[in-house]
C-alpha cells in the first residue's frame, strides 16, 4: 500500500507539474476569449434596465469613459495573451491588473455583472500560477504574424458586429461627440475608431520588426577572441565556423565557453550559419539553448547549410528540414591527375607552369605581409566581374581574417595573380575566398585547386571541401516537395543571373563526392522564406541578390567560363 501511495503521489506531482507547464498557453487562450467577450460587450447594446440603474447613480461622462476603458481593456488582453503564451512575467502581472480593471469597468458601463464575475474568476485562477511565467518581460515586444492575424480578426469582427447591432441608427457626425444622445452608439464609434487605429499600428510595427536584432548584433571583439580559441582548439570544428572571425554575426556560447553558434537576426528568423562549433557533447544543449532564446523573442530558429551529422540533433528539436544544395568534397588521398577524365586539369597545370606560374602557400599571418598584393587581386577580380563583397555564408576580403589561416597563392613573375584562403576543420580543410586577376594565365584556378588538393593530402587532411553548390541535387519530380521543385527550376534556369549549374560543373572536374546540405526550421516556418532571408543576408539585401549593385560595364567583360563563377 505504501508503495502504491508513493507512486500515486509521484504521478500526481508530475501531473501538477505538467499542468503548470502548459498553463501559460491555456491562460493565453483564455485571455483571448476574455478580450473578445469585453469587445463584443462594448460593441452591442447593454440591457436597458441595467443601464437605467447605472444612470441613476453615475454621471453620463463616467459611464461613457467606462465603456471606452472596457474596450481598451479587452484590446490589451488580446495583446497580453501573446506575452502569456511566451511565459512573460510582466504579461502575467499586467493581465491581472487588466482583468480586475476590466471587471470594474464592466460594472460601471452597464452593470454587466456576469462579465465582471468571469474576469474576476480568471484573475483569481491566474494569480497563483506566477511560477509558470519565468521569462523576463520586454517592452513593446512585437507580435508574431499569427497573433497579428488573431488581433486584427477579433477587432474586425467586433467592428462588424457593432455596425450590425446599430444598423437601424442614422449615423451623423454628432454621434462621435455626443454624450447625451445615443450614448451607446457614440461610445461604440469612438472605441471602434481607436481600436482600429491601434490594430493597424501594432500590426504594421510587428510585421516589420526584427525581434532581438538590437541586442543580438555583431559580436564584440572579446567574443570573437573567445570563438577563435574554440576554433584553434580544433575539436568539433567545421571549416565554415571560421566565418565567425569576420565579426559580422552574433555569437552564442555554451555555458563552458567551449562551443558556440554563429547567427544573424533577420525579420522574425534567427539564422544560424552552419552547425555549432565545439565538442560533440555540447552541441545538442547549445542547439536547444539557441532555439529557446529565439523563441523567447517570438522568433523562429533557422539552421542553414548543416550536414547530415546534425540532422539527428535537429530532429530532436522538432525541426523540419529541406535539402538546399550539395558540398563538393574531394578525397585528397584518392585524387590523381591520371586518366582521361583529368585531361583538362593536366592541360591547365602544364599551361600555367609553362607561362611561369608557381603555386605557394602563405602560412598563417603572412597575409598581412602581402596584404597590398592580395587586395590588388581582390579589387581587380571584383571590378572585372562587376561584383561586390558578400557576407554571412561567404567570406570577404579582410587581411586580418585571411591572416588567421593559410592562403594558397599563384605567382607569376613574382607577383600574386590568384589566391584562395583555406579554412581548417576537424576532419577536412575548405576553400573560402577565391580570386584572380584578369591577366592571370588561363586555367589559373584549376591549377591553384589541383595544387591545394595535393597540399591538403600532404598535410594529412583526408578531404578538401570546395564549398557548396546552392540548389544542386534538388529533384523536379511530381511527388517532390514544392520547395525542391522550385529550387530545381532555379538551379536549371537561373544560370544567367546566378550560375548555379555552371558552378557545379566547374567543381565536378575535380571528381568530388557530393554531400547534401540542409536548412532546418520549425515546422510552422516557411522554409522558402527562410532560404530567401539567407540569400538576402549573403548578398547584402535585395539589390545585391538581384545583381543591381554591380556597376554597368561592357557585357564582354562579364565572366564567361565556369571557373569565373566559382565565387559568384
Amino acid at each position: 500500500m505504501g508503495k502504491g501511495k508513493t507512486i500515486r503521489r509521484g504521478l500526481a506531482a508530475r501531473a501538477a507539474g505538467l499542468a503548470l507547464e502548459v498553463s501559460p498557453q491555456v491562460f493565453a487562450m483564455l485571455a483571448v476569449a476574455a478580450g473578445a467577450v469585453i469587445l463584443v460587450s462594448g460593441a452591442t447594446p447593454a440591457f436597458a434596465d441595467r443601464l437605467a440603474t447605472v444612470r441613476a447613480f453615475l454621471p453620463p461622462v463616467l459611464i461613457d469613459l467606462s465603456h471606452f476603458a472596457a474596450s481598451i481593456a479587452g484590446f490589451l488582453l488580446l495583446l497580453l495573451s501573446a506575452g502569456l503564451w511566451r511565459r512573460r512575467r510582466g504579461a502575467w502581472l499586467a493581465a491581472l491588473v487588466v482583468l480586475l480593471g476590466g471587471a470594474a469597468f464592466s460594472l460601471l458601463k452597464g452593470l454587466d455583472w456576469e462579465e465582471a464575475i468571469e474576469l474576476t474568476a480568471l484573475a483569481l485562477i491566474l494569480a497563483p500560477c506566477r511560477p509558470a511565467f519565468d521569462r523576463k518581460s520586454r517592452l513593446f515586444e512585437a507580435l508574431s504574424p499569427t497573433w497579428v492575424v488573431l488581433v486584427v480578426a477579433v477587432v474586425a469582427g467586433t467592428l462588424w458586429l457593432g455596425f450590425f447591432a446599430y444598423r437601424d441608427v442614422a449615423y451623423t457626425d454628432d454621434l462621435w461627440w455626443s454624450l447625451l444622445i445615443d450614448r451607446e452608439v457614440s461610445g461604440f464609434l469612438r472605441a471602434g475608431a481607436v481600436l482600429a487605429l491601434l490594430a493597424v499600428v501594432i500590426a504594421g510595427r510587428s510585421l516589420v520588426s526584427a525581434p532581438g536584432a538590437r541586442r543580438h548584433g555583431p559580436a564584440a571583439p572579446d567574443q570573437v577572441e573567445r570563438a577563435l580559441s574554440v576554433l584553434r582548439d580544433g575539436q568539433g570544428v567545421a571549416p565554415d565556423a571560421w566565418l565567425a572571425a569576420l565579426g559580422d554575426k552574433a555569437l552564442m556560447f555554451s555555458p563552458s565557453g567551449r562551443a558556440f553558434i554563429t547567427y544573424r537576426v533577420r525579420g522574425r528568423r534567427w539564422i544560424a550559419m552552419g552547425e555549432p562549433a565545439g565538442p560533440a557533447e555540447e552541441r545538442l544543449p547549445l542547439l536547444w539553448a539557441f532555439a529557446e532564446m529565439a523563441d523567447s523573442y517570438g522568433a523562429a530558429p533557422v539552421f542553414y547549410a548543416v550536414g547530415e551529422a546534425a540532422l539527428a540533433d535537429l530532429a530532436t528539436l522538432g525541426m523540419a528540414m529541406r535539402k538546399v544544395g550539395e558540398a563538393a568534397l574531394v578525397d585528397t588521398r584518392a585524387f590523381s591527375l591520371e586518366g582521361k577524365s583529368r585531361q583538362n586539369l593536366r592541360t591547365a597545370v602544364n599551361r600555367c607552369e609553362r607561362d611561369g606560374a608557381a603555386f605557394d602557400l602563405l602560412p598563417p599571418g603572412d597575409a598581412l605581409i602581402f596584404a597590398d598584393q592580395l587586395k590588388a587581386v581582390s579589387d581587380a577580380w571584383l571590378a572585372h566581374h562587376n561584383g561586390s563583397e558578400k557576407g554571412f555564408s561567404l567570406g570577404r576580403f579582410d587581411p586580418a581574417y585571411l591572416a588567421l589561416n593559410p592562403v594558397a597563392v599563384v605567382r607569376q613573375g613574382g607577383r600574386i595573380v590568384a589566391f584562395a584562403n583555406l579554412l581548417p576543420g576537424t576532419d577536412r580543410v575548405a576553400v573560402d575566398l577565391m580570386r584572380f586577376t584578369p591577366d592571370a594565365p588561363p586555367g589559373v584556378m584549376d591549377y591553384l585547386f589541383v595544387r591545394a588538393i595535393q597540399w591538403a593530402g600532404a598535410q594529412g587532411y583526408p578531404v578538401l571541401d570546395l564549398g557548396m553548390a546552392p540548389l544542386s541535387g534538388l529533384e523536379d519530380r511530381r511527388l517532390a516537395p514544392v520547395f525542391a521543385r522550385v529550387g530545381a527550376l532555379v538551379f536549371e534556369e537561373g544560370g544567367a543571373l546566378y550560375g548555379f549549374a555552371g558552378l557545379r560543373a566547374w567543381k565536378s572536374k575535380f571528381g568530388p563526392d557530393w554531400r547534401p546540405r540542409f536548412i532546418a526550421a520549425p515546422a510552422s516556418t516557411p522554409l522558402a522564406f527562410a532560404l530567401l532571408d539567407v540569400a538576402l543576408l549573403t548578398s547584402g539585401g535585395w539589390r545585391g541578390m538581384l545583381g543591381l549593385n554591380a556597376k554597368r560595364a561592357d557585357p564582354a567583360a562579364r565572366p564567361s567560363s565556369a571557373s569565373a563563377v566559382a565565387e559568384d
Side-chain angles (χ1 to χ4, degrees), residues 91-126:
W92 170 83
L93 180 59
L96 288 177
V97 173
V98 173
L99 285 169
L100 295 175
F105 294 134
S106 296
L107 293 173
L108 294 175
K109 73 180 177 67
L111 208 60
D112 194 343
W113 54 268
E114 298 95 342
E115 183 178 302
I117 290 176
E118 292 170 356
L119 296 176
T120 303
L122 180 56
L124 293 176
I125 298 173
L126 176 63

Side-chain angles (χ1 to χ4, degrees), residues 67-406:
H67 183 281
F68 181 80
S71 297
I72 296 300
F75 184 77
L76 289 177
L77 283 175
L78 296 180
L79 301 184
L80 290 171
S81 64
L84 293 175
W85 187 280
R86 297 173 188 166
R87 316 172 75 89
R88 300 291 190 208
R89 290 196 296 263
W92 170 83
L93 180 59
L96 288 177
V97 173
V98 173
L99 285 169
L100 295 175
F105 294 134
S106 296
L107 293 173
L108 294 175
K109 73 180 177 67
L111 208 60
D112 194 343
W113 54 268
E114 298 95 342
E115 183 178 302
I117 290 176
E118 292 170 356
L119 296 176
T120 303
L122 180 56
L124 293 176
I125 298 173
L126 176 63
C129 295
R130 161 67 179 79
F133 299 89
D134 53 1
R135 289 177 177 171
K136 294 181 179 179
S137 301
R138 298 189 177 94
L139 293 176
F140 309 113
E141 185 173 19
L143 300 179
S144 68
T146 301
W147 238 265
V148 167
V149 172
L150 179 63
V151 170
V152 171
V154 172
V155 171
T158 300
L159 294 177
W160 175 86
L161 182 62
F163 282 111
F164 179 80
Y166 297 111
R167 64 190 182 281
D168 296 328
V169 177
Y171 294 97
T172 66
D173 292 341
D174 294 337
L175 292 176
W176 292 87
W177 311 109
S178 174
L179 294 175
L180 300 176
I181 302 173
D182 295 318
R183 283 188 294 271
E184 288 190 275
V185 183
S186 59
F188 157 69
L189 290 176
R190 281 191 292 274
V194 172
L195 293 179
L197 179 61
L198 288 175
V200 170
V201 171
I202 291 174
R205 181 183 181 279
S206 296
L207 293 176
V208 301
S209 67
R214 293 184 179 181
R215 290 176 176 264
H216 298 267
D222 63 315
Q223 292 180 309
V224 174
E225 285 300 320
R226 289 176 61 193
L228 288 176
S229 67
V230 175
L231 295 170
R232 288 169 181 145
D233 179 66
Q235 188 175 358
V237 173
D240 56 17
W242 284 94
L243 295 173
L246 289 167
D248 61 341
K249 291 173 276 291
L251 299 174
M252 181 179 182
F253 290 87
S254 64
S256 70
R258 298 171 60 213
F260 68 88
I261 284 179
T262 308
Y263 67 98
R264 285 281 301 273
V265 176
R266 179 174 174 81
R268 305 200 67 85
R269 284 173 277 274
W270 287 29
I271 304 174
M273 176 57 216
E275 306 163 18
E281 63 271 16
E282 299 202 8
R283 293 166 67 93
L284 183 57
L286 184 56
L287 289 171
W288 273 117
F290 177 74
E292 289 167 353
M293 183 173 65
D295 178 71
S296 74
Y297 280 88
V302 177
F303 302 90
Y304 173 70
V306 295
E308 297 159 285
L311 296 187
D313 287 344
L314 294 174
T316 302
L317 269 66
M319 300 285 117
M321 290 156 275
R322 290 287 184 272
K323 184 177 178 180
V324 292
E326 294 176 311
L329 307 182
V330 178
D331 186 340
T332 59
R333 293 163 297 189
F335 179 78
S336 170
L337 289 178
E338 302 299 323
K340 185 177 181 180
S341 62
R342 299 289 194 268
Q343 176 62 51
N344 291 337
L345 292 181
R346 290 197 302 273
T347 300
V349 169
N350 294 333
R351 180 186 298 169
C352 285
E353 293 186 343
R354 282 200 307 269
D355 291 342
F359 175 84
D360 191 14
L361 197 86
L362 304 181
D366 278 16
L368 293 176
I369 300 174
F370 297 95
D372 291 341
Q373 290 192 47
L374 295 175
K375 187 175 187 305
V377 174
S378 178
D379 291 346
W381 193 95
L382 291 172
H384 183 68
H385 296 100
N386 307 313
S388 59
E389 293 285 8
K390 306 297 183 185
F392 187 65
S393 63
L394 297 173
R396 67 171 186 270
F397 184 83
D398 180 339
Y401 168 66
L402 297 179
L404 293 173
N405 291 300

Side-chain angles (χ1 to χ4, degrees), residues 44-62:
T44 54
F47 291 106
D49 56 339
R50 297 184 185 183
L51 189 57
T53 301
V54 173
R55 287 174 178 170
F57 296 97
L58 299 177
V61 172
L62 182 57

